[in-house]
Each structure stands twice: as C-alpha cells, then as structure tokens.
Amino acid sequence: MNTKARVAIVGATGYGGAELVRLLANHPSAEVVTVTSERLAGTRLRRDCPWLASDLVLEAFDPEKLDVDFVFLAQEAGFAMKHAPALLKKAKVIDLSADFRLEDKEVYREYYKREWESPGLEDQPIYGLPELVDRDSIRKARLIANPGCYATAAALSITPLVKAGLIQGVPVIDAKSGVSGAGRSRKETDYLFSEMTSNFKAYAITGHRHTPEIEQTAGMTIRFTPHLIPAARGIYSTTHVQVSQGTTQEAIIDALTQAYAGSVFVNVVDQTPSIKQVEGTNRVDISVDFDARVGFAVISSVLDNLVKGAAGQAIQNMNLMAGLPEETGLPLNGVWP
Amino acid sequence: MNTKARVAIVGATGYGGAELVRLLANHPSAEVVTVTSERLAGTRLRRDCPWLASDLVLEAFDPEKLDVDFVFLAQEAGFAMKHAPALLKKAKVIDLSADFRLEDKEVYREYYKREWESPGLEDQPIYGLPELVDRDSIRKARLIANPGCYATAAALSITPLVKAGLIQGVPVIDAKSGVSGAGRSRKETDYLFSEMTSNFKAYAITGHRHTPEIEQTAGMTIRFTPHLIPAARGIYSTTHVQVSQGTTQEAIIDALTQAYAGSVFVNVVDQTPSIKQVEGTNRVDISVDFDARVGFAVISSVLDNLVKGAAGQAIQNMNLMAGLPEETGLPLNGVWP
Amino acid sequence: MNTKARVAIVGATGYGGAELVRLLANHPSAEVVTVTSERLAGTRLRRDCPWLASDLVLEAFDPEKLDVDFVFLAQEAGFAMKHAPALLKKAKVIDLSADFRLEDKEVYREYYKREWESPGLEDQPIYGLPELVDRDSIRKARLIANPGCYATAAALSITPLVKAGLIQGVPVIDAKSGVSGAGRSRKETDYLFSEMTSNFKAYAITGHRHTPEIEQTAGMTIRFTPHLIPAARGIYSTTHVQVSQGTTQEAIIDALTQAYAGSVFVNVVDQTPSIKQVEGTNRVDISVDFDARVGFAVISSVLDNLVKGAAGQAIQNMNLMAGLPEETGLPLNGVWP
Amino acid sequence: MNTKARVAIVGATGYGGAELVRLLANHPSAEVVTVTSERLAGTRLRRDCPWLASDLVLEAFDPEKLDVDFVFLAQEAGFAMKHAPALLKKAKVIDLSADFRLEDKEVYREYYKREWESPGLEDQPIYGLPELVDRDSIRKARLIANPGCYATAAALSITPLVKAGLIQGVPVIDAKSGVSGAGRSRKETDYLFSEMTSNFKAYAITGHRHTPEIEQTAGMTIRFTPHLIPAARGIYSTTHVQVSQGTTQEAIIDALTQAYAGSVFVNVVDQTPSIKQVEGTNRVDISVDFDARVGFAVISSVLDNLVKGAAGQAIQNMNLMAGLPEETGLPLNGVWP
C-alpha cells in the first residue's frame, strides 16, 4: 500500500473512539484525519483526552465534508442506523454499536427498545468477528457490524463446541467486565470511583443485550450473566457446559485449537488466563478445564474489552477490508503490570 | 453475664486472627486476653498489625498456660487436629481451619492431601453455620468447625432450594473472592499488588477444597468455580440452577425467605447486592433472578469473607455457646464507600 | 445517661451522613430518629444505601417537625448558614460543612465565593477540633463547626510545632485524599471509576478552601497542595518543615507527644503510618522523620476522611456536648485489609 | 538501517526486562534475540510472563555466548559492575540498575551499602537522560547508566529552574510511585495486594537512594520524600520550590519550555497532569502552578516508571547509540482508561 488509508472516527472522545486513535497512531497503513465530537467541536482532542499525543482538532459530525476511506462509528445505539446510508456512499463503514449486529429485527426491537430502521441495509452488514465468520465476506464488505465485547469472548468460547456437537443442555456463561464497558458518559452513582472500587456485582442478570448476539453466533440458546469487576479494562468469560456423553477434555481442546489454528489473535493456552495478560492487546486467550466428576467443561476466555472487544477488532476488520494482513498495527504483547 | 468471657486467639497476626481482635474489641461480653504468634512472640501485636489499637503482647502458643473460656484457632490445616484434644480439656474451641469440617475422612484426605488424625474427636465437632444447622447443637458444642468462606456463601444460596426440591441438574456455583482469602502469609508472585490490581482470574477450577464442604451442607453434587477479585475483602457467589418443572421465581424467593426468617444476618433482598455493601459486617445479602426463557434461577449472595466468612461467624458461634444473643457485638452496617 | 440522645441527620444519603448512621448504630447513648433527603423523601434509607441495616424512612427536611437533641448537618455550603438560626432554637447543631469554620468572613467570601450570612451567629460557633481546642468550650457549645478533613490532618501535624517555635519558613503540606472526599453527588468525568482507578493527580494546587482553615488553627501561613489517591477513604498528609536552629527530632516528637498526651484518638507512632491502618476509625496516627542533612522535619499523619475527618469527629463533639466520654461509640481498630 | 540491531535482555522476567520485550516487539529496527533468567532457564518466557506473545526461551546468563549489538541489564545492584567489563568487549551496554549512575563513589557506598567496584570503568558511563545530557555523548557511549524512575521525574522538574537561577532554599520533592517500582521479586508482606490496595504511605523518608542521583543532575541539595500509590505504574512528582525574588510563573514556564523545546517526550502542559495519561508511554508531562501569596512554584510531573522511568528511556538511549531518531518505536499515546 503506497498511501495510507484515510480514517474518520465519529465520537472520538469516548473510550472506544479514543482507543481507535491510540491504536491507529501505531498503524503503518492508516491515518486518522478526522475526529468528531458534538459537545467539544472546535477544541483539541488532547484537551479532553490528555493521554493522546495528537494535534487533531475535534469537528462536528458532517457526512458531507468527510473525505476518507473508512469511517468508524463509536456512538450510541441509533446513530449508525440513521447515518449509514449516507456514509456508505462515500466510504466503508465500521460500526462499533449494536445497530447492525442482529439479523432478526424483532429481536433488536425487543432488546434495544427501539425500531430497527435502516431501509435497504438489511442484508448488507457483515458481522465482523473474523475468527468465526468467513474472512472473505469481511474483505468484501462495505458495512461492518463490529461485535460486542461480551459477545466476542463468549462466542469464541463456545461456538466451536456447538459445531462439534460436544455440548448438551444450556451453557451457563458467567461473564465479568471491567467498568469501562459502561462508557465514558455514564454518570450514574454506580459508576463513581468510590462506589466501584473494591466492589463487585452482577447486573442485568436477565435480558442483557449481548444475549441474543451470542446466541446468533453460537447457534444455540444460552444463559448469560454479566458482572462488574473493579478494573477499568478486561473481560473474563467463564463458560460452564455440560458435555455430551463420552466427550473428553482433549476433544474440547481439539475443537477450539482447530477452530483457531489460523488465527493469530485467538489462542488456546494451558494456564488459566487472567484479564491483565491481554490488557492493551487484540488477543483472546482461552483455557479449558474439565470436571469428569460432574461431566462439565469450564472454558475461560479473556480479552481487553476496548481492544479485541471494540477498537482493536474494528481495526482488524479494517485491515481485512483494506487487503492488509489482519494483524497489521495491532498489539500482541500485554501491558503488565 | 456479669463477667466477660475470656478469649485466646491462636494466630493473631493473620487476617482471620486480627479480624477477631478487631471485632471482639467492640464485644460487650468477651475480652481477648491472649494472642499468639510463633514468629513474633514477645512483640506487641500492634507492631505487626498497626491497625489494631491494642496493647496486647504476642505469646508463643502454649496450651498449658492458657486460662480462657474460648480458644479461637486461626492456623493452617493440621494444627487444630493436633492440638484440639488438649485444648478441649481447658476451654471450648472454635476452629477456623478446615480440620473438623468434613464428616467423611476419606474426602478430607482426598482434598487436603493429608490423613485426618484427631482420634476420639470424630463425632464431637459441630459445623457452625447457625442459619442451616440446629442452633441448639451449637449452643451445646465444645468444638466448632467454623465454615469456609465460599462454603458459607454457596450453602446459604442453595440449601433451602435443595430441601424444597426446586432444583434439577447440577448447580453451577461461579464464585468470586477478594484476595485476602489467600491469607497474609502467601507470598507467591500471584498475590503481589502489582500482579492482582486491575486483574481477575479463575483458579483451582477443579478440585477446590470447598467443593465437598458445600456438597455436605447442601446435600447434592455441585460444580464449583472460584475466581479472584481485585479487592481485599468480599465474596460474590453466583449460583445458576435449572429449576424443577413448574417452579416460579416466587417459590424460590419463598424458600429462601422462610429458611432465614429468624436469622438477623441473612436477608433476601430485592436489589442485586454488591460485595461492598456487606464489607465489615456479619451479613449475607441474597437476591434471586429468574430467567423463564431457559428455566434458570440465578441466586446472588454476598458476604465479607473475613467476617461472616471467618471471624464474625466464629464470634456468632461463640455467642451461641456462651448463651448470648447470636448477634451480640457483630456489625450490621457496612463500611462504604 | 438513662435515655439516649435523639439525633437527626440532615442529608443522610451522602457519604458523611451515611457514615453518621453507621457509626451511631453502635453508639450506646444516642439514637438516630430522623434522616432526611430532599430527593428521596418517602423511601427507605437502605434502598439508596444498601450497606445500612436500617429501617428508617427518609423525610424531607422540616425544622418545625424535628424533635431531637442533636442535629447533624451534612449538606452543601450555604445550607447551614441559612437554617442554623431556626434549628438552634430546638436542638444543638453540629455542622459538617464549612459555613461556620472561618472566623474571618472576608476570607470565607474569598474562598467560598459567597457572602457569609448568618446574622447573630458570628460569635457562637465553636471549631470542633477537640485535640487543639479547649474541650470545655465544646462541651458548652450549641453550634459546632466540624473541621475539614484535610484541615484536621494538617493542623494536628503542625500546630504544636508552631506553638513551640520549632518551625521556620513556610511549611509545605503535601496532602493526599481518597476520592470519597469529593462526595457522592459529584458526577464529573474525573470521578468515574474508570478515570480514577490506577490514577493519581494533584488538584486545586492554589486556592484550596482548606488552606485558610489550616492557617487559622495553626496560626501561620502555609503552602497546601492536595492530591487524589485511587482509594475510597483516607487522608495522608506529608508536612515538610524547615526546623528552627538547633531543633532536634526529639524536640519535634516531644512537642507532638505532649500536645496529644490526653487524647485517645491522636497518637505519635514510631513507624511511618499508612492510610489503611486507620480506615473506619476515629484515629490519627502521626510519625516524625528528620533529615539533619537539610534541617527538615517530615511529619506524616493519617486519618479516615469520613470518620475523624467528618462523621467520627462530629460524634466526638456530640459526646463532649452530651457530657459523655469523648471516645464513646467510636471505633479505634482499623478495618484491614 | 538495513538489518535490525540484535538485542539481549539480561533479567527478562522482571518488570523492567519484560517491559523491554514488550516495547521492542514494536520496534522497527531492533530485535530481541536473547532473554535470560537464572531461575527459569530452559523454559519459555511466556510461561512466566503470559502477557508476552513471544516464543523466546529463557537462557542462563553467559557473556561468552552472547552475539548481540546491545545488552540491556535489568538486574539487582552489583550485577552490572561485575559483568560490564566483559560485556563491553562484545556489545554496547545499557544498565538499568544504579551501578553506574553516581559519579562520586563515596556517595555510592553510603547510599547502596556496598563498595563501587568496576575498575577501569570510572569515566566511561554516560548518564542516559537525553533531555538533560548532551545527546552526542549518549550517541558515542558504549556504557549507559539508565536513570532511576524518581530521578528522571524530579530532575526534569527542577534542573532548568536551577540553571536559570529561579529557586531559593531547599526544593521539597514529594514524589509518589506505583508499586511496580518495588520490582517483581519483592515478597515482603507490604507488597501483597491485600495490604496495598486502597492504601497509601510514605517510605524511606530519609536516605532514599535516588536523592543523590537527583542532586547530581540538578546541581543542588534537595529534600526528597517518596510514597507508594495503590496503582501498578506511574510516578507523580510534586516539587515545591520557593522562587527567587521577582520570579514569575511565566519565567518558570519559559525555563521549562525552552529546556524541552526539542524533546518529543517531555512536554510542558497547561492542565495538571495525572499518572494514567502517560501510562504505557515514554512521555513526561509537566505543569506549573504558582502561589504568589507565599512565593512558591509547584511543579507537577508524571511518567510511567517502567517506560520513561526504565525500559522506554533505555530504548531511547539505544536509539541514539544506534544512530536512530530517539523516538523510534516508543509509544506516545497513553493506555486509558
């Protein structure tokens, strides 16, 4: 690639948008040229985000003025549905919201409490989870639905097992997330430092929006319970599955290992992973334990919710769409301690 | 009670022992007169534990010299088995280790990798979980096996449901603990601040020692997975159970509410609890969610592993043994934030 | 005391107000009978504060309906000035805000950006720092200005040294506070968990409102710089002072030791303290280091900003006003770990 | 540079060594070919450091077998003095310990409690703080003494002010560090997660080893007090200086701005910085506040102790020694939140 891909980030001061800026600063073949914020248009990005060593000035969102190859949308639900049709005339679009993730629009309405409205785009979005979706469909896509953070961790844990017929009953996915998953603009008391430090709790125990997204990818009904960890980043997904008659630990490990044989970012490891070992990276580390006593496998998977769970996976999709190796510019080594 | 009960704490500089000192400082009817530490005998307790406003001087453990009504043992596995026979001649004994918890000595050997050896005491220990055990048996006991922290949280979540026949299949208990559960003398790299801060992980996914203890109390086989939270204190137990045909959320709530109707410390609450809301208290807060879609109940329970999970429950047992109201001197209001 | 003192807490769902509820639950001679909240009047206190094991129902503030001996005001600046005159006709008042702390009303206006307006009360408030103020004046007071958290830590560190003439130049007070000092209703991005965890920073480097309060107590000009610690509770005050010619470490220690000889809560210790060792207590631990090379003493002092820095000190004042021993019902043993 | 520089890291499983591996993984012109650990020789680096996506196998240290251009020494005090003479015959050496930092060997003996012994190397080490040292001397060096973390933050804050004659009296440097500064092999109770979380304290208030290092660079006597922050990474240095007669805030800012005009990593900013905004980067952000009331300037500076305070600065020195732009491969955008 002789020239760098030109990139716009819509919603650059949130955690997802700012993480795109951070990661793309090290990308050899892409350049962020436009960053937007309605609230802060006209100010330097680094004033609101002093961790970013950028001279970019925030602009108001204006599809007409965009002159880019890729648009990343890091906005609340509803925004992408509204603006995608216009944007797609000018650029490829990668949406980090849930607007284009669910194929069944009734399910979208049930879980997101709003109508799905983006006429003409029903069949166009590709669900951008490269390790479980045909990569060629991503390469050819013009509109990517970037997966949810929990959904990425959970779907990678169980989909190969479902396909191999190794599971019986309802998988119990007990997932835990760092607090940044709530975003930067959530100001409820619950998200104050003093309330969450040294704390831990479940939330949205029934009806969490990632439930149907996991089910769509895995192809089976699941039980999903999310919790908040007193950490900024990281998802730990503990999936408890009753295995089919005769299934061994080796069969479970084989199914996962083969599924991710060609994937640089997803690895089956032999030590129980921790969330910090993938902090700042686009990796997913997965381990398998087996309790023969009760016939259960326990699949542990970890990722950084802002990287493989959001901005990193979005760049992985961009790389594929741009004809680049999918790992281009994406970190593999964790920030520790 | 005219005079205060005299108390010895064996192993007073560990987290459990020091918490006994803290809690008993506010107890109207008990007084700590002896604190022991092999390593630090001869020094003031507050030198090693500067949070304690105590003038007590640590002594070496010497059963002959003890002149007390109650001995609390806060030591590693094996210590209580060895010393209980001699101690019981002089005082009532409350053991915070696992030595006397398991009725089946084969199971003890399997999980603790040592022989159970305390001849003559096989039938004497009472498992001191007052909300699930006949309180009269505790009142009359001379030797209490104080329950494990995870085991307390988990057993309180499911035992009433088992007894009411509301569960089918294998309950999945996905539990999370603050790091103090590892004790003050564990010096592996894993427990360093820099390794655990902002981190989260499962451990001992198969074979955790509290598994048989939970099963003994609940009366059924379970799947138990513990994790570490980056917090000093607190246990969050998420129990996922498939309910029997026709079981409703109300039936689950009723079973728990009735089981704990007379218990001041265990409460069924209508908001999902968090670990910090019980920090420093002897409370267990339990909530119930119900997923009719898949026929699962999710039971969340929280406690402070050093209070209701250790020192507080030990004092609750002492209160019963001393003929006092069981809540005497035990905190009900959490330290927040 | 045959009957318990009746207490009202105005603003019971903030951190200071809720801490009063927690501490008074263990007080043998006082009882909270009224708790107020404008926003949540009519709901149970424990709904918004699930850590409190209380059946009290929040009420709107109504001075006419109060039937109590003591009113604790835990409100924003301005509230106490406005309502104290009416309240004082019915009860003794302990104000946790800054309204009555500063004698010089011009200084109040400069630092708090509002007029001081409580005509007739100019001379009535007593600054309630018992270890540095004549306790008899507190015993006789009807209106207490409860000191600021930083001001308590800093004034206790240097006032005895100033009085003994041991300091030259401008003391540098470099103070650090847990985030709960910002209160429970501050919702700026800065106070979100994700922004403050693993973080640390100075703020209000010039013009912090506790500056004139410290100077008023200490009787000299100081340099005061506050910082935020990623912890919920605790203040660490590091005071760097150039000592007068010939001053020794012993002289510094003697001045502090003598000043606090009769004070159960303030202690000069010989190990550098940490904030957690006083968490949940009304203690202040102070240590002295001496750098003969440059002629500086470094005074370290720690306290819990919500206890000795707010609610605990307020109860200490109440105890004196009620003729009780000042330590009644106040914790001395820290919550650790 | 056609071929990549070959690099050995001696002590690769500690925090400094592992951070070198992480950072060099993204370096376009250097490649880590040898990693050593005495304890773990023969095992994969990623077994002990699961955050590193590396296939390297740890080796025992053997100077004879090294075939590299640069050796980074990340070992305890004493190691570099012993092995530098042999290593320098084969490669350029960058030492992250304190062995070669102090010019006055008497001072070394006093602060490090050991004799300085590296005969023949007295004049060879260059102190590798590029923003304050002649960069040409670094470019030509064969042996670099990589500066201490506190020393980097403190020296950058005051050295330009000393040179400009803007300070009077003794600067008070009140510094705070994340816990990783203690290293990965420190196993004292103090460094356990449960002891440090939600905690804060000063340590080594007199006699900290970075004191003479700061004085050597700044050229004046200072008062230095370090503290521990409950965070893994980050240093916050608050420097309180009485300014010379007539000095203005502008003069302070100008002195710093001009000193770092050509330095990409060190920036004078107009908002008070926080440690997290430089996490993972090689940046130092510095701000200036001015208290005209007492004639003090307060200089705040932040850095990541493992990057600009250790591994990043070491690579910056390597870049200069290799004839590369000094910023090559070093992150400028922080990991947030």
Side-chain angles (χ1 to χ4, degrees), chain A residues 177-259:
Chain A
S177 173
V179 183
S180 64
R184 200 178 180 207
S185 52
R186 294 285 290 280
K187 301 289 170 63
E188 292 94 328
T189 303
D190 278 6
Y191 300 107
L192 291 181
F193 175 83
S194 296
E195 308 273 315
M196 258 317 292
T197 189
S198 302
N199 208 350
F200 186 91
K201 64 176 171 184
Y203 68 100
I205 296 178
T206 54
H208 190 279
R209 292 167 165 189
H210 287 191
T211 306
E213 190 179 336
I214 299 166
E215 294 183 338
Q216 175 179 287
T217 306
M220 82 178 293
T221 299
I222 57 149
R223 171 90 275 286
F224 177 69
T225 307
H227 304 72
L228 281 181
I229 305 169
R233 291 175 178 237
I235 283 183
Y236 200 105
S237 177
T238 315
T239 299
H240 310 263
V241 296
Q242 191 152 24
V243 299
S244 309
Q245 192 73 26
T247 298
T248 61
Q249 180 166 15
E250 290 65 38
I252 302 281
I253 292 175
D254 283 355
L256 291 164
T257 304
Q258 287 171 25

Side-chain angles (χ1 to χ4, degrees), chain D residues 49-320:
Chain D
C49 301
W51 62 94
L52 296 176
S54 164
D55 288 325
L56 288 169
V57 175
L58 292 160
E59 304 172 29
F61 173 65
D62 182 350
E64 295 306 309
K65 288 171 58 183
L66 288 177
D67 174 22
V68 295
D69 302 301
F70 290 93
V71 176
F72 290 90
L73 299 179
Q75 295 284 17
E76 299 292 316
F79 184 95
M81 280 194 300
K82 184 173 170 192
H83 294 289
L87 290 168
L88 284 166
K89 293 176 186 160
K90 310 193 65 169
K92 293 178 182 175
V93 174
I94 299 170
D95 176 34
L96 280 75
S97 85
D99 279 4
F100 295 111
R101 291 179 193 157
L102 297 176
E103 291 165 13
D104 186 330
K105 305 316 176 197
E106 280 304 304
V107 172
Y108 181 88
R109 185 167 61 180
E110 179 187 345
Y111 279 85
Y112 288 86
K113 314 298 181 202
R114 64 166 69 223
E115 294 295 320
W116 191 86
E117 294 180 304
S118 210
L121 295 183
E122 288 81 358
D123 299 330
Q124 199 166 343
I126 299 295
Y127 188 73
L129 184 39
E131 289 83 3
L132 291 176
V133 170
D134 175 24
R135 281 177 172 84
D136 275 336
S137 68
I138 297 174
R139 289 189 185 100
K140 295 174 197 157
R142 289 190 56 81
L143 173 57
I144 290 286
N146 206 58
C149 48
Y150 282 124
T152 299
L156 289 168
S157 292
I158 59 164
T159 306
L161 311 186
V162 177
K163 288 187 179 159
L166 302 177
I167 300 180
Q168 57 175 315
V170 177
V172 169
I173 302 175
D174 188 294
K176 301 89 178 174
S177 173
V179 182
S180 64
R184 202 178 179 206
S185 50
R186 293 287 290 278
K187 299 291 169 60
E188 291 94 328
T189 303
D190 278 6
Y191 300 106
L192 291 179
F193 175 83
S194 296
E195 308 273 314
M196 258 318 292
T197 187
S198 301
N199 208 350
F200 185 90
K201 63 176 172 184
Y203 68 100
I205 297 179
T206 53
H208 190 279
R209 292 168 166 189
H210 287 190
T211 306
E213 190 179 336
I214 299 165
E215 294 183 338
Q216 175 180 287
T217 306
M220 83 179 294
T221 299
I222 57 149
R223 171 89 272 288
F224 177 67
T225 307
H227 303 71
L228 282 180
I229 306 169
R233 289 175 181 239
I235 283 183
Y236 200 104
S237 176
T238 315
T239 299
H240 312 263
V241 296
Q242 192 152 23
V243 299
S244 309
Q245 190 73 25
T247 298
T248 62
Q249 180 166 17
E250 290 65 38
I252 302 280
I253 292 174
D254 283 355
L256 290 164
T257 305
Q258 288 172 24
Y260 306 124
S263 298
V264 66
F265 294 122
V266 181
N267 294 286
V268 181
V269 298
D270 57 5
Q271 292 173 296
T272 306
S274 68
I275 58 170
K276 200 149 76 169
Q277 74 187 43
V278 294
E279 186 173 327
T281 82
N282 203 49
R283 274 165 42 208
V284 181
D285 286 1
I286 302 178
S287 75
V288 176
D289 287 83
F290 197 79
D291 184 351
R293 214 176 59 106
V294 294
F296 269 69
V298 180
I299 321 297
S300 302
S301 65
V302 295
L303 56 76
D304 183 326
N305 58 304
L306 295 178
V307 189
K308 183 62 176 171
Q313 185 145 270
I315 293 169
Q316 186 180 357
N317 283 312
M318 181 198 77
N319 287 339
L320 289 169

Side-chain angles (χ1 to χ4, degrees), chain B residues 216-240:
Chain B
Q216 175 179 287
T217 305
M220 83 178 293
T221 299
I222 57 149
R223 172 90 273 288
F224 177 68
T225 307
H227 303 71
L228 282 181
I229 306 169
R233 290 177 179 236
I235 283 183
Y236 200 106
S237 176
T238 315
T239 300
H240 311 264

